[in-house]
Amino acid sequence: MNKAKRVTITDIARLAGVSPGAVSFALNGRPGVSAQTRQRILDIAEESQWLPNSAARALVGSHAGVIGFAVNRSAGTLGAEAFFTDLIAGVQSALAGKRIAMQMVLVSSVEEEVATYRRWHSAKQVDGVIVIDPRDDDPRLPVLRDLALPAVVLGSHASPEGHPATIWLDDSQVAHSLFDYLGALGHRSIAYVAGPAEFQHTRLRTEVLAGLGERGVRGEVIATDFSPAAASTAMRRLLSRLERPTAVVFDNDVMAIAGLRVAQEMGVPVPKDLSVASFDDSVVAGLVHPSITCITRDTFGLGAEAAKFLLEQIDAPDVLADRIGAMPQLTVRESTAVPR
Amino acid sequence: MNKAKRVTITDIARLAGVSPGAVSFALNGRPGVSAQTRQRILDIAEESQWLPNSAARALVGSHAGVIGFAVNRSAGTLGAEAFFTDLIAGVQSALAGKRIAMQMVLVSSVEEEVATYRRWHSAKQVDGVIVIDPRDDDPRLPVLRDLALPAVVLGSHASPEGHPATIWLDDSQVAHSLFDYLGALGHRSIAYVAGPAEFQHTRLRTEVLAGLGERGVRGEVIATDFSPAAASTAMRRLLSRLERPTAVVFDNDVMAIAGLRVAQEMGVPVPKDLSVASFDDSVVAGLVHPSITCITRDTFGLGAEAAKFLLEQIDAPDVLADRIGAMPQLTVRESTAVPR
DNA sequence: GGGTGCAACTATAGCGATTTAGTAAAACGG
DNA sequence: CCGTTTTACTAAATCGCTATAGTTGCACCC
């Protein structure tokens, strides 16, 4: 068995004939060694394939070299939505090359999420976290503030400026761009099959839809748990009524696809008799037939920006300036049309 | 600003009036302290919300408390496939409760993947890894063996038994269950739109299809990069020919959905004139119209099993007994039928 | 020429756990 | 009741790295 003993800075120090301290200076680009010695040390480190032991580094108090991502979704809905993988892929793209890893954990409640942050902080396991799905009166934000754990929140929330840093996503704008589009097409009865009511974006979207009332649009909201089954049920109920809505908007693409299927099963032609749209895009939304009109967000880019922002904040926790996320675009596809 | 100073075993030792060593014994259920003292220490630790500093633990040489997962897929195809999220969700389910985290990284080549394993091992960043998509002559396996890094490989590969441990997935069986089904329906010309040729499962499936030649089935393989665009192109080419295949099988569900759309665009009724099937299932595959006949694998369960197996191996690296993964099932849906 | 400054290092003290060796007191045994 | 084992601890080393306080040696300058 290959023992593969790990190379430490002490080994390098011995090889270079200097003290471990000098090696540390050299490897971290700190003053305290001559250019010549520094180069010699770097060469030896390279040759002997030295890699820093992250545990030791984390212990001495600098960085853990890890950012954390706690996802509060059931395992089932996780796999269905492309949002997470896209976001993660974006985060990874920003982390590539840097010696920073991402730790991910699935939690099943906000309480558990908060506990995870506490544990991560206490165990010095992560340097910062990415937080999604802000809620009204979000219990996570004060905790992150208390722990002084660097964080980037994606979305819009009521918290005052400052920690935690936020990439603001203007959900009202987003809701407007989709609902206004449907209104402009002539739809006067729109149903919105939403996710859980406690999410901030659900509330904002609901408000925007309600706001269209002045313009003669009757809106209706059905809360679900994001599952395709719930979407099917909602759709079936909507289409069984005498007064059907002429457009149904879903919170994500999987629910929209589920809804689409129900419409087809019930013989309701889309988009002729019914328009369908989704607040979330994905590759598949553009591939099904009819393809689904969606709000297209650069989730990958968002993930990358979030990671970069987080890293900046970890480096300089005091320099805080919230950012505005890229505005999502409306992608009109085949599933929406002028109502009959 | 809340300083939130971290509690260490030294603090607990002081509070309990014992030495840090005794606290360590107590907290780890090791002999060396009286039952009474142990309880007192545990109580104090609980009260003061002590949590082990994982960096310190990793440094002394026990465990890092982290398992690693390096995914070699482009960011784009990652989000499209539910496989990864399902697998990850499964892994997480097995890790929940235990104090073990999962680190994930996206790599873009096998070389980079190998380098990642080297780095992880050298930096003692992970205790073990999960390896997917085995290849012919896989360069990763000898490296893992050399590093003696605990690992679990998912799939079938040519390596002799022993390290790394494997959960064998019988891809020939899987291929048989799908291709034989199509053959039994009466299909005599089957196209297989596959992933990259270097994957072991691509080869095995190709072999099975070729084997059907004796029974009068003409098979044909088109290699792609797993992207829906490539699937569309392949499908368009297949359907433009005079002699169309009567069934097309895709390596994953997203490609199948892309192919389905092409068929619909070209006015080829599915399943009447063309059967479509996929080697990978997902929620969406069952929701599109027509729903797609798939090989359904309990990916979530597989992830959970892989994680459990890996943890066992980390605990006892010498006790190795490969396992047989659960056999995937054929899920017949609307997209396949007797050919005209 | 002796004080001052600076560059280039070394020595050493942690960080928070684990772990081994050592020690005092209690229990045991004949 | 004395020698031996066991119990219940403490003291101290250790992991790999960082950071701070020295310690040289050499140039500079009035």
Side-chain angles (χ1 to χ4, degrees):
Chain A
M1 186 64 72
N2 195 332
K3 275 282 171 186
K5 59 169 177 289
R6 282 170 250 259
V7 183
T8 71
I9 58 165
T10 312
D11 298 327
I12 296 177
R14 199 169 10 80
L15 288 171
V18 294
S19 74
V23 175
S24 176
F25 292 147
L27 292 169
N28 294 307
R30 220 171 293 267
V33 280
S34 65
Q36 196 186 1
T37 312
R38 180 185 305 269
Q39 193 53 55
R40 187 157 42 90
I41 291 172
L42 288 175
D43 288 346
I44 293 174
E46 172 78 15
E47 260 174 59
S48 50
Q49 292 189 292
W50 174 85
L51 288 169
N53 180 317
S54 49
R57 273 205 171 150
L59 184 55
V60 72
S62 45
H63 292 328
V66 179
I67 67 174
F69 186 30
V71 180
N72 180 6
R73 284 290 166 93
S74 76
T77 61
L78 216 216
E81 280 175 90
F83 176 80
F84 291 97
T85 25
D86 284 346
L87 192 75
I88 290 170
V91 169
Q92 290 287 344
S93 78
L95 260 37
K98 313 201 192 307
R99 293 227 165 293
I100 304 216
M102 191 195 79
Q103 245 175 49
M104 186 182 146
V105 66
L106 252 64
V107 295
S108 51
S109 69
V110 198
E111 291 70 38
E112 203 186 324
E113 192 177 336
V114 166
T116 302
Y117 295 148
R118 288 219 140 89
R119 182 159 42 81
W120 274 347
H121 172 262
S122 180
K124 248 193 189 172
Q125 211 164 24
V126 305
D127 298 320
V129 295
I130 292 177
V131 178
I132 58 169
D133 293 332
R135 298 159 178 247
D136 292 323
D137 245 337
D138 202 310
R140 301 170 296 177
L141 310 188
V143 171
L144 292 170
R145 222 176 337 245
D146 268 14
L147 297 174
L149 181 63
V152 169
V153 181
L154 304 183
S156 35
H157 56 88
S159 237
E161 274 206 26
H163 192 89
T166 302
I167 296 183
W168 294 89
L169 305 175
D170 191 339
D171 269 297
S172 296
Q173 275 292 95
V174 167
H176 266 297
S177 72
L178 182 48
F179 286 132
D180 288 359
Y181 160 73
L182 290 173
L185 279 180
H187 291 277
R188 290 294 168 265
S189 172
I190 303 176
Y192 166 38
V193 179
E198 63 265 31
F199 287 139
Q200 186 90 31
H201 65 249
T202 301
R203 218 203 52 210
L204 291 171
R205 290 169 184 174
T206 301
E207 283 172 11
V208 169
L209 179 57
L212 287 189
E214 323 172 340
R215 289 199 255 154
V217 175
R218 201 156 49 77
E220 172 179 7
V221 180
I222 303 176
T224 71
D225 59 357
F226 282 129
S227 75
S232 300
T233 307
M235 190 65 155
R236 211 162 280 127
R237 213 171 51 223
L238 285 170
L239 297 185
S240 307
R241 297 198 308 219
L242 279 173
E243 292 265 315
R244 290 178 181 163
T246 59
V248 182
V249 177
F250 293 86
D251 240 352
N252 69 42
D253 53 304
V254 177
M255 289 204 288
I257 292 170
L260 202 58
R261 182 177 173 93
V262 170
Q264 285 165 337
E265 283 170 357
M266 295 179 70
V268 180
V270 174
K272 211 165 125 253
D273 283 12
L274 180 76
S275 287
V276 168
S278 159
F279 272 116
D280 238 343
D281 199 1
S282 75
V283 174
V284 175
L287 291 173
V288 295
H289 188 83
S291 58
I292 299 172
T293 294
C294 288
I295 293 292
T296 308
R297 191 189 297 275
D298 178 11
T299 310
F300 182 90
L302 181 62
E305 201 191 337
K308 261 186 240 148
F309 193 15
L310 184 55
L311 294 183
E312 284 172 30
Q313 236 201 114
I314 290 169
D315 281 345
D318 302 322
V319 188
L320 280 177
D322 287 355
R323 304 198 179 164
I324 307 294
M327 187 61 200
Q329 299 298 318
L330 176 69
T331 304
V332 176
R333 297 210 183 91
E334 300 161 354
S335 67
T336 47
V338 173
R340 276 223 293 212
Chain B
M1 185 65 73
N2 196 333
K3 276 282 173 189
K5 57 170 179 287
R6 279 170 254 261
V7 182
T8 72
I9 57 164
T10 313
D11 298 328
I12 296 177
R14 198 168 12 80
L15 288 171
V18 295
S19 73
V23 175
S24 176
F25 293 147
L27 292 169
N28 293 305
R30 220 170 292 268
V33 280
S34 65
Q36 195 188 1
T37 312
R38 179 184 307 269
Q39 194 52 55
R40 186 157 42 92
I41 291 172
L42 287 176
D43 288 346
I44 293 174
E46 172 77 18
E47 259 175 58
S48 52
Q49 291 190 294
W50 173 85
L51 288 169
N53 180 318
S54 50
R57 272 206 172 147
L59 187 57
V60 290
S62 43
H63 291 328
V66 179
I67 67 173
F69 186 28
V71 180
N72 180 7
R73 282 293 165 91
S74 75
T77 59
L78 216 217
E81 281 176 89
F83 176 79
F84 291 98
T85 23
D86 284 345
L87 193 73
I88 289 169
V91 169
Q92 290 286 344
S93 78
L95 261 37
K98 312 199 193 305
R99 292 226 165 292
I100 304 215
M102 191 195 79
Q103 249 176 44
M104 185 182 148
V105 65
L106 252 63
V107 296
S108 52
S109 70
V110 197
E111 291 71 38
E112 203 186 325
E113 191 177 336
V114 167
T116 301
Y117 295 148
R118 288 219 141 89
R119 182 158 43 79
W120 275 347
H121 172 262
S122 181
K124 247 192 191 172
Q125 210 165 23
V126 306
D127 299 320
V129 296
I130 292 177
V131 178
I132 57 168
D133 292 333
R135 298 159 177 249
D136 291 324
D137 244 339
D138 202 310
R140 301 170 295 178
L141 310 188
V143 171
L144 292 171
R145 222 175 336 246
D146 268 14
L147 298 173
L149 181 64
V152 168
V153 182
L154 304 183
S156 36
H157 57 89
S159 237
E161 274 207 29
H163 193 88
T166 302
I167 296 183
W168 294 90
L169 305 176
D170 191 340
D171 270 296
S172 296
Q173 275 291 94
V174 167
H176 265 297
S177 71
L178 182 48
F179 287 132
D180 288 359
Y181 160 72
L182 291 173
L185 279 181
H187 292 276
R188 291 295 170 265
S189 173
I190 302 177
Y192 166 38
V193 178
E198 64 264 32
F199 287 141
Q200 186 89 32
H201 66 247
T202 301
R203 218 203 52 209
L204 291 172
R205 290 168 185 175
T206 301
E207 285 172 10
V208 169
L209 179 57
L212 287 189
E214 325 172 338
R215 287 197 256 155
V217 175
R218 200 157 49 77
E220 172 179 5
V221 180
I222 303 176
T224 71
D225 59 356
F226 282 129
S227 73
S232 299
T233 307
M235 191 62 155
R236 213 164 276 127
R237 213 170 52 224
L238 284 170
L239 298 185
S240 307
R241 296 196 312 216
L242 278 174
E243 290 266 315
R244 290 177 179 164
T246 59
V248 183
V249 177
F250 294 86
D251 241 352
N252 68 43
D253 54 304
V254 177
M255 290 204 287
I257 292 170
L260 202 59
R261 182 176 173 91
V262 169
Q264 285 165 335
E265 282 170 358
M266 295 179 70
V268 179
V270 174
K272 212 166 124 254
D273 283 12
L274 181 76
S275 286
V276 168
S278 159
F279 272 116
D280 237 344
D281 198 1
S282 75
V283 174
V284 176
L287 292 174
V288 294
H289 189 84
S291 57
I292 300 172
T293 294
C294 288
I295 294 292
T296 307
R297 192 189 294 278
D298 179 12
T299 310
F300 182 90
L302 181 63
E305 201 190 338
K308 260 184 242 151
F309 194 14
L310 183 56
L311 294 183
E312 284 172 30
Q313 238 201 109
I314 291 169
D315 280 346
D318 302 322
V319 187
L320 280 177
D322 287 355
R323 304 197 179 164
I324 308 294
M327 187 61 197
Q329 298 298 318
L330 177 69
T331 305
V332 176
R333 297 209 182 93
E334 302 161 353
S335 67
T336 47
V338 173
R340 275 223 293 212

